[in-house]
PDB file of all heavy atoms in Angstrom:
ATOM      1  N   GLN A 557      55.798  94.630  97.716  1.00 86.00           N
ATOM      2  CA  GLN A 557      57.057  94.182  98.286  1.00 86.00           C
ATOM      3  C   GLN A 557      57.324  92.723  97.895  1.00 86.00           C
ATOM      4  O   GLN A 557      56.411  91.900  97.871  1.00 86.00           O
ATOM      5  CB  GLN A 557      57.020  94.293  99.820  1.00 86.00           C
ATOM      6  CG  GLN A 557      56.736  95.699 100.333  1.00 86.00           C
ATOM      7  CD  GLN A 557      57.865  96.659 100.035  1.00 86.00           C
ATOM      8  OE1 GLN A 557      59.037  96.335 100.233  1.00 86.00           O
ATOM      9  NE2 GLN A 557      57.520  97.850  99.559  1.00 86.00           N
ATOM     10  N   ASP A 558      58.563  92.416  97.602  1.00 85.00           N
ATOM     11  CA  ASP A 558      58.927  91.061  97.206  1.00 85.00           C
ATOM     12  C   ASP A 558      58.620  90.067  98.329  1.00 85.00           C
ATOM     13  O   ASP A 558      58.940  90.313  99.497  1.00 85.00           O
ATOM     14  CB  ASP A 558      60.413  90.986  96.861  1.00 85.00           C
ATOM     15  CG  ASP A 558      60.745  91.719  95.571  1.00 85.00           C
ATOM     16  OD1 ASP A 558      59.815  91.931  94.765  1.00 85.00           O
ATOM     17  OD2 ASP A 558      61.918  92.079  95.382  1.00 85.00           O
ATOM     18  N   GLY A 559      57.995  88.946  97.959  1.00 87.00           N
ATOM     19  CA  GLY A 559      57.795  87.843  98.893  1.00 87.00           C
ATOM     20  C   GLY A 559      56.650  88.016  99.860  1.00 87.00           C
ATOM     21  O   GLY A 559      56.504  87.217 100.790  1.00 87.00           O
ATOM     22  N   ILE A 560      55.806  89.045  99.677  1.00 88.00           N
ATOM     23  CA  ILE A 560      54.698  89.289 100.600  1.00 88.00           C
ATOM     24  C   ILE A 560      53.395  89.330  99.808  1.00 88.00           C
ATOM     25  O   ILE A 560      53.307  89.974  98.762  1.00 88.00           O
ATOM     26  CB  ILE A 560      54.881  90.605 101.378  1.00 88.00           C
ATOM     27  CG1 ILE A 560      56.126  90.535 102.264  1.00 88.00           C
ATOM     28  CG2 ILE A 560      53.642  90.922 102.225  1.00 88.00           C
ATOM     29  CD1 ILE A 560      56.422  91.816 103.005  1.00 88.00           C
ATOM     30  N   GLU A 561      52.371  88.643 100.302  1.00 81.00           N
ATOM     31  CA  GLU A 561      51.051  88.656  99.695  1.00 81.00           C
ATOM     32  C   GLU A 561      50.010  88.973 100.756  1.00 81.00           C
ATOM     33  O   GLU A 561      50.066  88.437 101.872  1.00 81.00           O
ATOM     34  CB  GLU A 561      50.728  87.289  99.077  1.00 81.00           C
ATOM     35  CG  GLU A 561      49.340  87.189  98.460  1.00 81.00           C
ATOM     36  CD  GLU A 561      49.100  88.238  97.399  1.00 81.00           C
ATOM     37  OE1 GLU A 561      49.447  88.007  96.230  1.00 81.00           O
ATOM     38  OE2 GLU A 561      48.578  89.310  97.761  1.00 81.00           O
ATOM     39  N   VAL A 562      49.091  89.883 100.447  1.00 82.00           N
ATOM     40  CA  VAL A 562      47.964  90.158 101.331  1.00 82.00           C
ATOM     41  C   VAL A 562      46.867  89.158 100.988  1.00 82.00           C
ATOM     42  O   VAL A 562      46.196  89.278  99.959  1.00 82.00           O
ATOM     43  CB  VAL A 562      47.468  91.604 101.179  1.00 82.00           C
ATOM     44  CG1 VAL A 562      46.240  91.835 102.060  1.00 82.00           C
ATOM     45  CG2 VAL A 562      48.572  92.586 101.565  1.00 82.00           C
ATOM     46  N   ALA A 563      46.723  88.159 101.832  1.00 77.00           N
ATOM     47  CA  ALA A 563      45.789  87.067 101.551  1.00 77.00           C
ATOM     48  C   ALA A 563      44.347  87.478 101.779  1.00 77.00           C
ATOM     49  O   ALA A 563      43.443  87.044 101.073  1.00 77.00           O
ATOM     50  CB  ALA A 563      46.118  85.857 102.420  1.00 77.00           C
ATOM     51  N   SER A 564      44.100  88.333 102.789  1.00 78.00           N
ATOM     52  CA  SER A 564      42.743  88.773 103.062  1.00 78.00           C
ATOM     53  C   SER A 564      42.807  89.962 104.006  1.00 78.00           C
ATOM     54  O   SER A 564      43.888  90.316 104.509  1.00 78.00           O
ATOM     55  CB  SER A 564      41.911  87.641 103.675  1.00 78.00           C
ATOM     56  OG  SER A 564      40.535  87.928 103.544  1.00 78.00           O
ATOM     57  N   GLU A 565      41.647  90.562 104.238  1.00 82.00           N
ATOM     58  CA  GLU A 565      41.613  91.732 105.112  1.00 82.00           C
ATOM     59  C   GLU A 565      40.254  91.851 105.775  1.00 82.00           C
ATOM     60  O   GLU A 565      39.265  91.274 105.303  1.00 82.00           O
ATOM     61  CB  GLU A 565      41.937  92.997 104.318  1.00 82.00           C
ATOM     62  CG  GLU A 565      41.059  93.208 103.103  1.00 82.00           C
ATOM     63  CD  GLU A 565      41.618  94.292 102.191  1.00 82.00           C
ATOM     64  OE1 GLU A 565      42.654  94.052 101.545  1.00 82.00           O
ATOM     65  OE2 GLU A 565      41.023  95.379 102.145  1.00 82.00           O
ATOM     66  N   ALA A 566      40.226  92.594 106.874  1.00 84.00           N
ATOM     67  CA  ALA A 566      39.001  92.774 107.639  1.00 84.00           C
ATOM     68  C   ALA A 566      38.949  94.198 108.157  1.00 84.00           C
ATOM     69  O   ALA A 566      39.984  94.842 108.356  1.00 84.00           O
ATOM     70  CB  ALA A 566      38.937  91.785 108.807  1.00 84.00           C
ATOM     71  N   THR A 567      37.724  94.659 108.396  1.00 83.00           N
ATOM     72  CA  THR A 567      37.540  96.034 108.853  1.00 83.00           C
ATOM     73  C   THR A 567      37.290  96.145 110.349  1.00 83.00           C
ATOM     74  O   THR A 567      37.157  97.244 110.867  1.00 83.00           O
ATOM     75  CB  THR A 567      36.350  96.670 108.117  1.00 83.00           C
ATOM     76  OG1 THR A 567      35.161  95.931 108.424  1.00 83.00           O
ATOM     77  CG2 THR A 567      36.567  96.664 106.616  1.00 83.00           C
ATOM     78  N   ASN A 568      37.207  95.022 111.052  1.00 86.00           N
ATOM     79  CA  ASN A 568      37.010  95.083 112.499  1.00 86.00           C
ATOM     80  C   ASN A 568      37.545  93.807 113.137  1.00 86.00           C
ATOM     81  O   ASN A 568      37.955  92.864 112.452  1.00 86.00           O
ATOM     82  CB  ASN A 568      35.524  95.293 112.847  1.00 86.00           C
ATOM     83  CG  ASN A 568      34.632  94.206 112.287  1.00 86.00           C
ATOM     84  OD1 ASN A 568      34.974  93.026 112.323  1.00 86.00           O
ATOM     85  ND2 ASN A 568      33.482  94.591 111.750  1.00 86.00           N
ATOM     86  N   ALA A 569      37.528  93.784 114.457  1.00 87.00           N
ATOM     87  CA  ALA A 569      38.123  92.661 115.184  1.00 87.00           C
ATOM     88  C   ALA A 569      37.333  91.373 114.987  1.00 87.00           C
ATOM     89  O   ALA A 569      37.918  90.300 114.828  1.00 87.00           O
ATOM     90  CB  ALA A 569      38.203  93.009 116.675  1.00 87.00           C
ATOM     91  N   GLU A 570      36.011  91.471 115.019  1.00 81.00           N
ATOM     92  CA  GLU A 570      35.188  90.259 114.915  1.00 81.00           C
ATOM     93  C   GLU A 570      35.472  89.513 113.618  1.00 81.00           C
ATOM     94  O   GLU A 570      35.700  88.306 113.608  1.00 81.00           O
ATOM     95  CB  GLU A 570      33.705  90.615 114.999  1.00 81.00           C
ATOM     96  CG  GLU A 570      32.806  89.387 114.932  1.00 81.00           C
ATOM     97  CD  GLU A 570      31.331  89.735 115.017  1.00 81.00           C
ATOM     98  OE1 GLU A 570      30.999  90.926 114.997  1.00 81.00           O
ATOM     99  OE2 GLU A 570      30.514  88.807 115.095  1.00 81.00           O
ATOM    100  N   THR A 571      35.458  90.242 112.508  1.00 79.00           N
ATOM    101  CA  THR A 571      35.734  89.596 111.232  1.00 79.00           C
ATOM    102  C   THR A 571      37.185  89.163 111.144  1.00 79.00           C
ATOM    103  O   THR A 571      37.502  88.125 110.557  1.00 79.00           O
ATOM    104  CB  THR A 571      35.383  90.534 110.066  1.00 79.00           C
ATOM    105  OG1 THR A 571      34.021  90.924 110.182  1.00 79.00           O
ATOM    106  CG2 THR A 571      35.594  89.851 108.730  1.00 79.00           C
ATOM    107  N   GLY A 572      38.080  89.938 111.742  1.00 85.00           N
ATOM    108  CA  GLY A 572      39.483  89.534 111.766  1.00 85.00           C
ATOM    109  C   GLY A 572      39.679  88.196 112.449  1.00 85.00           C
ATOM    110  O   GLY A 572      40.456  87.347 111.987  1.00 85.00           O
ATOM    111  N   LEU A 573      38.968  87.971 113.545  1.00 85.00           N
ATOM    112  CA  LEU A 573      39.060  86.692 114.238  1.00 85.00           C
ATOM    113  C   LEU A 573      38.540  85.551 113.366  1.00 85.00           C
ATOM    114  O   LEU A 573      39.115  84.457 113.347  1.00 85.00           O
ATOM    115  CB  LEU A 573      38.267  86.743 115.545  1.00 85.00           C
ATOM    116  CG  LEU A 573      38.848  87.620 116.655  1.00 85.00           C
ATOM    117  CD1 LEU A 573      37.861  87.749 117.808  1.00 85.00           C
ATOM    118  CD2 LEU A 573      40.175  87.064 117.151  1.00 85.00           C
ATOM    119  N   VAL A 574      37.473  85.806 112.640  1.00 75.00           N
ATOM    120  CA  VAL A 574      36.928  84.780 111.758  1.00 75.00           C
ATOM    121  C   VAL A 574      37.941  84.419 110.674  1.00 75.00           C
ATOM    122  O   VAL A 574      38.129  83.247 110.340  1.00 75.00           O
ATOM    123  CB  VAL A 574      35.602  85.262 111.138  1.00 75.00           C
ATOM    124  CG1 VAL A 574      35.099  84.261 110.124  1.00 75.00           C
ATOM    125  CG2 VAL A 574      34.560  85.465 112.220  1.00 75.00           C
TER     126      VAL A 574
END
Side-chain angles (χ1 to χ4, degrees):
Q557 302 292 315
D558 290 339
I560 297 177
E561 178 57 87
V562 177
S564 198
E565 54 193 71
T567 62
N568 58 42
E570 181 180 7
T571 303
L573 290 171
V574 175

